[in-house]
């Protein structure tokens, strides 16, 4: 079976024995022009592995257009997390898949036009019926183009036409919030054509894909699902000896370790380059190794072939203590949960210890002595995949640099209030729009600790709330003289009957400890009153990770309402008639829809 | 062989292990429709480590015929 997957029978036995009653539901719908039913087992298996109870509803065979455009989609009804679309070329265009050689230029153009319209109307139709994430499986290139070797020479050959159609599909999906292109061609390339297609079942049941192919596609789909569900990892913790370079620096010295252009050092260098790519995608990089600290930093500072630099490293524990303790400390220092961490290590002893002591931590066991496999081991894991790459992600590395400058300034300042003022902090609050919707959705998906209700939203759902007259979606952006933090918080309000309910209130952990949450909340109260609300209702839903905010509403002038909501849900209220005047607090500059406030004398 | 096939059939059709015997077929098990049949064949191929031909797939109409076919293929290989 495909790498990492049990057999179909094993999956069914495993799922039958699993206790899924208490786990978070994951509801998927499949709209398709072909038979893909066996994927159901792989999707439910992956859901279970990520702590979710997966269910999969299939639309009618060959009924994609009727269900999406004709609003006849029983599979699209109800509360869905994601809609998977399978519309391979062989099912949606006989002309392009099987009769390509017979087409003239006009016929080709007409058929391409028809398919582009189909993409647009189906994507729009699904979005009209559901706010769920849309995962559309792109077209696969032909294994044997109908014009033979000539096809590759032509700008309008079959392979080129498929590439054009994929580009059009990508553009269509980009215009629909929360809709994504799944690269089926990459799945095909990884599996190989002869293992990807099942010609027997294509003819027997219009089922084109083998179990291996469906497992690979399901794994690809789950990279999106994990991102949507806030399960993407944030930090890669790396061992050093035999992970970042070959050999042991404490024994062989900096000159003796293997790292560089030649084998086997070249394999370690490629692995490092993959780590640096993750850094530029916004993943925090940390070190956890058993070494003398000065030996490691000497390699970082002086080895000419290091791709990973000291500036990429957000935190480190280089000492002789056990790695479970060290990883726990790294999580505290970086202000992230243990379940946001991946440890990459070549030692089975260390990975085994961490797996045993800290089961929340994901472990990447690098095959010791086989560094040529390291790079793909990391590149294929999919743990860090995000569906958007925001400005905040791209700049995170630099932001962490500014953070250490802030820590330094804090140590210098006589007290906290003085420190805040010395930073000249600024705050901007605004309504979510096209530009900020991806970041707001991402924050609802990623934020675990300072998150009052932990409701996860896709881009499509946030866009729906932005349009809704009963809702306000607000973001807060923070900065100071050392740098811009970007959009660090979000709030969703629901209006009705003279009251406002705070559906979502969250702040990224990077922005904690500087009074942003109070300032954001107090502007929100002012905005609510300006919209004629008489009282505000706040909600706290307890999770394993958000204990730090259980008193947030009480500390901000709310009182708990008596009625019972179960042990994990609390509702608070605050009247708005005696609200104090707006003030900028210790911020140098506060801008919101209500106007700009500036500290005196600035 | 019969026991192993019965176990695979029971798991894929979602019925108790005791509910499947040599005579079980799409006629006796309501869950055994054409889609489950496909899933069953894929599961059998995985469980027994072999690939069946298209004409063999359509000839497998009950547990007895599946067992007979698998035994025949095993003899050919041995």
């Amino acid at each position: 079976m495909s790498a990492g997957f049990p057999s179909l029978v094993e999956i069914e036995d495993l799922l039958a024995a699993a206790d899924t009653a208490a786990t978070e539901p994951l509801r998927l719908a499949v709209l398709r022009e072909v038979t893909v039913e066996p994927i159901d087992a792989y999707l439910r298996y992956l859901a279970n592995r990520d702590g979710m109870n997966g269910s999969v509803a299939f639309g009618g065979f060959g009924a994609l257009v009727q269900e999406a455009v004709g609003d006849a989609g029983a599979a699209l009804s109800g509360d869905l997390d994601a809609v998977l679309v399978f519309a391979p070329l062989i099912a949606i265009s006989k002309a392009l898949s099987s009769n390509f050689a017979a087409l003239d230029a006009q016929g080709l153009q007409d058929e391409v036009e028809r398919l582009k319209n189909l993409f647009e109307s189906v994507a729009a139709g699904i979005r009209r019926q559901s706010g769920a994430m849309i995962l559309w499986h792109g077209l696969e290139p032909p294994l044997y183009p109908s014009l033979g070797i000539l096809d590759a020479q032509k700008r309008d050959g079959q392979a080129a036409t498929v590439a054009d159609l994929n580009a059009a599909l990508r553009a269509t999906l980009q215009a629909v919030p929360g809709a994504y292109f799944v690269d089926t061609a990459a799945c095909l390339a990884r599996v190989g054509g002869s293992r990807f297609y099942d010609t027997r079942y294509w003819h027997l049941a219009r089922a084109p894909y083998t179990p291996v192919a469906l497992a690979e596609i399901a794994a690809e789909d789950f990279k999106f699902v994990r991102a949507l569900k806030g399960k993407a990892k944030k930090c890669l913790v790396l061992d050093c000896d035999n992970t970042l370079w070959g050999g042991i620096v404490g024994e062989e010295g900096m000159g003796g370790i293997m790292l560089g252009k030649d084998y086997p050092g070249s394999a370690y260098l490629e692995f490092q380059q993959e780590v640096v790519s993750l850094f530029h995608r916004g993943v925090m990089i940390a070190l956890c190794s058993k070494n003398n600290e000065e030996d490691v930093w000497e390699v970082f500072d002086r080895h000419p072939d290091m791709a990973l630099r000291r500036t990429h490293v957000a935190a480190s524990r280089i000492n002789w203590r056990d790695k479970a303790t060290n990883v726990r400390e790294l999580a505290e220092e970086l202000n992230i949960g243990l379940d946001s961490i991946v440890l990459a290590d070549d030692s089975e002893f260390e990975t085994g210890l961490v797996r045993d002591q800290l089961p929340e931590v994901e472990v990447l066991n690098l095959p010791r002595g086989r560094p040529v496999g390291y790079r793909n081991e990391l590149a294929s894991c999919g743990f860090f995949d995000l569906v958007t790459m925001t400005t905040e992600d791209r700049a995170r590395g630099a932001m962490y640099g500014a953070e250490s400058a802030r820590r330094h300034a804090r140590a210098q300042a006589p007290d906290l209030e003085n420190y805040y003022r010395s930073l000249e902090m600024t705050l901007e609050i605004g309504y979510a729009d096209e530009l900020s919707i991806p970041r707001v959705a991402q924050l609802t998906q990623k934020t675990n600790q300072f998150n009052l209700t932990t409701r996860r939203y896709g881009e499509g759902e946030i866009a729906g709330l932005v349009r809704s007259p009963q809702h306000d979606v607000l973001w807060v952006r923070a900065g100071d003289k050392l740098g811009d933090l970007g959009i660090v918080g979000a709030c969703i309000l629901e209006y009705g009957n003279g009251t406002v309910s705070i559906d979502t209130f969250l702040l990224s952990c990077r922005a904690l400890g500087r009074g942003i949450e109070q300032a954001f909340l107090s502007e929100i109260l002012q905005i609510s009153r300006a919209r004629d609300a008489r009282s505000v209702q706040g909600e706290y839903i307890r999770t394993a990770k958000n204990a730090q905010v259980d008193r947030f509403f009480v500390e901000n002038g709310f009182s708990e309402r008596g009625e019972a909501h179960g042990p994990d849900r609390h509702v608070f209220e605050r009247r708005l008639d005696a609200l104090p005047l707006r003030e900028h607090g210790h911020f140098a500059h506060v801008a919101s829809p209500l106007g700009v406030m500036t500290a005196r004398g600035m | 062989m019969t026991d192993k096939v019965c176990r695979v059939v029971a798991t894929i059709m979602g019925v108790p292990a005791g509910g499947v015997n040599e005579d079980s077929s799409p006629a006796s098990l309501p869950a055994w429709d054409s889609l489950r049949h496909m899933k069953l064949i894929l599961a059998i191929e995985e469980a027994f480590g072999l690939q069946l031909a298209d004409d063999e797939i359509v000839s497998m109409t009950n547990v007895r015929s599946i067992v007979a076919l698998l035994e025949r293929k095993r003899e050919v290989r041995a």
Side-chain angles (χ1 to χ4, degrees):
Chain A
M1 194 46 251
S2 176
F5 278 90
S7 74
L8 286 166
V9 170
E10 287 163 345
I11 289 175
E12 293 302 341
D13 286 344
L14 189 144
L15 290 174
D19 179 18
T20 51
T23 55
E24 177 188 359
L26 177 76
R27 284 167 291 244
L28 307 174
V30 177
L31 299 191
R32 47 40 186 286
E33 291 289 289
V34 288
T35 303
V36 286
E37 267 77 349
I39 200 172
D40 150 275
Y42 301 117
L43 294 170
R44 287 184 296 122
Y45 168 74
L46 290 169
N48 179 258
R49 214 179 58 176
D50 280 330
M52 295 179 282
N53 182 13
S55 60
V56 188
F58 288 86
F61 173 85
L64 175 65
V65 175
Q66 296 90 307
E67 290 178 328
V69 183
D71 287 9
L76 287 179
S77 62
D79 198 2
L80 286 174
D81 293 295
V83 179
L84 279 49
V85 179
F86 287 91
L89 195 64
I90 197 163
I92 57 173
S93 175
K94 283 280 167 293
L96 295 186
S97 61
S98 312
N99 291 322
F100 193 86
L103 279 180
D104 60 17
Q106 187 60 47
L108 175 60
Q109 201 189 329
D110 291 348
E111 184 63 0
V112 166
E113 213 43 48
R114 181 184 73 81
L115 290 175
K116 288 181 180 172
N117 289 333
L118 178 106
F119 297 157
E120 275 181 22
S121 55
V122 168
I126 296 172
R127 181 51 78 236
R128 193 169 58 242
Q129 298 177 72
S130 171
M133 177 162 73
I134 299 171
L135 297 180
W136 193 309
H137 299 85
L139 305 173
E140 307 115 65
L143 292 188
Y144 303 102
S146 53
L147 302 178
I149 54 174
L150 184 58
D151 192 87
Q153 322 309 316
K154 290 166 66 83
R155 282 176 61 182
D156 57 354
Q158 194 183 23
T161 302
V162 169
D164 282 351
L165 285 168
N166 273 335
L169 176 57
R170 218 176 261 119
T172 297
L173 296 173
Q174 231 148 42
V176 178
Y180 303 98
F181 180 94
V182 181
D183 195 352
T184 327
C187 297
L188 164 63
R190 293 195 289 257
V191 167
S194 58
R195 294 173 66 222
F196 197 80
Y197 297 107
D198 189 332
T199 49
R200 304 165 308 164
Y201 266 108
W202 169 244
H203 291 284
L204 284 167
R206 296 289 146 195
Y209 306 121
T210 60
V212 180
L214 292 171
E216 186 71 30
I217 293 170
E220 193 72 8
D221 292 341
F222 257 73
K223 295 176 185 173
F224 292 86
V225 171
R226 271 198 296 272
L228 177 76
K229 285 294 190 177
K231 311 222 179 246
K233 307 294 177 185
K234 297 173 183 168
C235 175
L236 174 62
V237 177
L238 293 157
D239 172 47
C240 291
D241 289 334
N242 288 317
T243 294
L244 291 180
W245 52 75
I248 296 168
V249 64
E251 290 174 12
E252 280 123 296
M254 192 177 81
I257 61 173
M258 288 172 279
L259 178 68
K261 291 180 186 62
D262 302 317
Y263 172 86
S266 54
Y268 293 99
L269 180 59
E270 268 194 4
F271 177 70
Q272 285 197 15
Q273 280 157 345
E274 189 66 29
V275 173
V276 174
S277 297
L278 286 175
F279 169 83
H280 288 294
R281 278 162 55 177
V283 175
M284 289 182 251
I285 308 299
L287 301 180
C288 178
S289 80
K290 288 183 171 163
N291 286 95
N292 292 322
E293 192 164 359
E294 57 271 30
D295 291 348
V296 169
W297 292 126
E298 190 189 6
V299 177
F300 269 80
D301 293 338
R302 295 190 43 220
H303 197 290
D305 292 312
M306 284 290 287
L308 193 64
R309 316 299 313 187
R310 213 193 250 258
T311 48
H312 296 130
V313 178
S316 63
R317 287 292 179 282
I318 304 167
N319 54 44
W320 301 92
R321 289 181 307 169
D322 75 277
K323 291 209 176 180
T325 306
N326 279 332
V327 169
R328 202 183 281 120
E329 281 188 15
L330 284 169
E332 277 166 26
E333 179 178 337
L334 294 169
N335 220 341
I336 55 176
L338 284 167
D339 60 357
S340 297
I341 290 181
V342 178
L343 170 72
D345 203 311
D346 67 299
S347 155
E348 275 182 52
F349 170 79
E350 302 291 2
T351 55
L353 176 85
V354 170
R355 212 178 250 135
D356 182 63
Q357 300 284 306
L358 309 171
E360 307 95 318
V361 171
E362 191 71 54
V363 165
L364 203 60
N365 219 142
L366 300 171
R368 174 178 275 183
R370 298 200 54 253
V372 291
Y374 283 12
R375 184 192 163 273
N376 275 356
E377 199 74 37
L378 183 60
S380 66
C381 72
F383 292 139
F384 304 100
D385 282 337
L386 292 174
V387 285
T388 44
M389 178 124 130
T390 60
T391 332
E392 283 78 4
D393 293 326
R394 255 184 265 271
R396 185 160 300 125
M399 287 176 187
Y400 273 96
E403 194 55 42
S404 62
R406 279 182 202 109
R407 271 201 293 270
H408 184 72
R410 183 167 191 154
Q412 307 283 309
D415 62 54
L416 204 57
E417 203 56 27
N418 260 307
Y419 162 69
Y420 284 149
R421 292 191 194 280
S422 74
L423 281 179
E424 295 164 26
M425 295 192 289
T426 61
L427 220 53
E428 190 189 343
I429 290 155
Y431 291 110
D433 60 9
E434 229 166 87
L435 286 177
S436 48
I437 283 171
R439 173 63 179 163
V440 169
Q442 190 194 50
L443 278 170
T444 70
Q445 292 158 20
K446 286 175 70 176
T447 312
N448 297 317
Q449 299 183 89
F450 199 103
N451 193 337
L452 272 303
T453 53
T454 321
R455 295 194 171 106
R456 312 292 192 194
Y457 291 106
E459 285 181 36
E461 293 166 303
I462 295 292
L465 292 168
V466 167
R467 277 193 307 272
S468 154
Q470 280 87 48
H471 294 87
D472 275 345
V473 181
L474 292 130
W475 47 258
V476 59
R477 182 184 189 99
D480 60 31
K481 66 177 185 187
L482 293 168
D484 185 13
L485 288 173
I487 292 178
V488 292
C491 174
I492 299 172
L493 300 173
E494 186 176 1
Y495 295 89
N497 291 331
T499 65
V500 187
S501 305
I502 303 178
D503 170 274
T504 294
F505 188 91
L506 61 84
L507 203 65
S508 160
C509 55
R510 278 188 297 120
L512 295 178
R514 34 169 81 206
I516 294 173
E517 56 274 28
Q518 281 85 11
F520 188 27
L521 181 67
S522 86
E523 281 298 285
I524 281 163
L525 297 181
Q526 300 283 354
I527 288 168
S528 301
R529 192 173 58 175
R531 283 195 59 165
D532 292 335
R534 290 184 300 277
S535 68
V536 176
Q537 218 174 76
E539 197 182 348
Y540 168 64
I541 301 174
R542 182 184 301 279
T543 68
K545 300 209 207 115
N546 68 353
Q548 63 167 269
V549 290
D550 62 351
R551 296 194 42 80
F552 178 69
F553 284 122
V554 172
E555 283 162 0
N556 285 281
F558 286 66
S559 42
E560 179 155 10
R561 293 189 7 181
E563 69 259 50
H565 296 282
D568 293 331
R569 183 166 173 263
H570 301 268
V571 177
F572 303 85
E573 194 165 28
R574 177 169 172 175
R575 300 203 51 80
L576 289 173
D577 30 29
L579 211 55
L581 289 173
R582 285 178 76 212
E583 54 163 338
H584 58 77
H586 53 245
F587 292 89
H589 182 97
V590 177
S592 89
L594 298 172
V596 175
M597 295 179 288
T598 309
R600 256 190 301 274
M602 308 234 13
Chain B
M1 173 76 84
T2 306
D3 283 354
K4 191 170 172 189
V5 172
C6 285
R7 264 205 313 279
V8 174
V9 172
T11 301
I12 297 301
M13 301 303 157
V15 298
V20 177
N21 57 43
E22 277 206 298
D23 293 318
S24 296
S25 70
S28 72
L29 290 175
W32 193 333
D33 58 15
S34 61
L35 278 172
R36 295 285 181 110
H37 188 68
M38 173 171 76
K39 210 167 162 181
L40 174 64
I41 301 299
L42 298 173
I44 284 176
E45 288 180 335
E46 271 182 352
F48 292 89
L50 46 77
Q51 263 245 315
L52 300 161
D54 42 344
D55 53 342
E56 291 170 332
I57 292 171
V58 284
S59 76
M60 297 165 94
T61 50
N62 58 26
V63 170
R64 183 174 286 109
S65 65
I66 295 173
V67 173
L69 180 77
L70 291 176
E71 270 170 355
R72 211 160 55 238
K73 288 189 86 90
R74 191 163 62 176
E75 278 162 28
V76 173
R77 273 200 296 185

